[in-house]
Amino acid sequence: MATLHAADTLITRIPAIEVISDEMVAALRGKSGAERLLIASDLYRSARGMLINHLRATNPDWSRAQVNSEAARRLSHGAV
C-alpha cells in the first residue's frame, strides 16, 4: 500500500490499475495521431519537470548535470 501525504493528513491507498472512462476513450479516439502524440509529449514534459523539481529539493547539493542524469535514469527505468 502507498501512503500519501495530503496537507497534515496521511492517506493510505491500495495500489490499483486505473482504467480510463468510456468518455475519455471516445475523446481520445476523436483526436488525430499527431494530437495524441502532443498530449503524450506534454505529459512526459510535465512529469520530467516535477521529477527535476523533486530531485533539486531533496538533493540541494547536486549539480544540474547530476539532477538531469538521475531524472533520465528514472524516466528510462534505468536504461540510461
Side-chain angles (χ1 to χ4, degrees):
M1 280 195 281
T3 302
L4 306 174
H5 300 274
D8 292 331
T9 306
L10 290 177
I11 301 168
T12 302
R13 169 180 113 104
I14 298 171
I17 296 174
E18 297 183 18
V19 179
I20 62 174
S21 67
D22 292 338
E23 293 85 2
M24 183 56 72
V25 170
L28 290 173
R29 283 190 178 144
K31 299 205 175 290
S32 70
E35 289 172 316
R36 290 193 304 270
L37 283 173
L38 180 59
I39 291 167
S41 176
D42 289 344
L43 288 170
Y44 175 84
R45 190 175 314 120
S46 177
R48 184 176 184 278
M50 286 186 279
L51 176 58
I52 285 175
N53 287 335
H54 168 73
L55 291 170
R56 284 182 183 148
T58 56
N59 303 284
D61 57 321
W62 284 10
S63 69
R64 179 173 290 186
Q66 287 174 300
V67 169
N68 288 334
S69 178
E70 178 62 12
R73 186 191 69 76
R74 290 186 186 194
L75 290 169
S76 69
H77 303 284
V80 173

